[in-house]
Amino acid sequence: MKNKRLKLARIEKDLSQAQLAEAVGVTRQTIGLIEAGGYNPTLNLCIAICKTLGKTLDELFWEE
């Protein structure tokens, strides 16, 4: 399942995949895979992404 909310939140903060990846300590490919639904990130990575983007876990990663 694609994570469109993550992509939108990243774009709202005017960050590229590479910039977000650098901020949270992973590769750009990892961010791309998370957005494409091809990678299930660890809880620690989810939290780091949320802090960087100013969002909650529910807002970015909770499936409705």
Side-chain angles (χ1 to χ4, degrees):
M1 179 176 200
K2 289 187 178 182
N3 193 330
K4 296 175 187 168
R5 292 176 290 174
L6 171 57
K7 185 174 183 175
L8 288 173
R10 176 177 58 77
I11 292 169
E12 285 175 4
K13 287 283 188 177
D14 199 29
L15 293 173
S16 68
Q17 287 182 345
Q19 290 168 320
L20 177 57
E22 185 176 335
V24 298
V26 297
T27 65
R28 185 211 52 83
Q29 289 85 353
T30 300
I31 299 299
L33 284 170
I34 294 168
E35 288 182 0
Y39 180 77
N40 189 14
T42 64
L43 182 57
N44 284 338
L45 179 52
C46 290
I47 291 169
I49 290 169
C50 288
K51 285 182 179 178
T52 302
L53 297 178
K55 300 286 186 181
T56 66
L57 286 170
D58 286 349
E59 289 173 318
L60 294 183
F61 295 103
W62 190 259
E63 293 180 21
E64 296 168 354

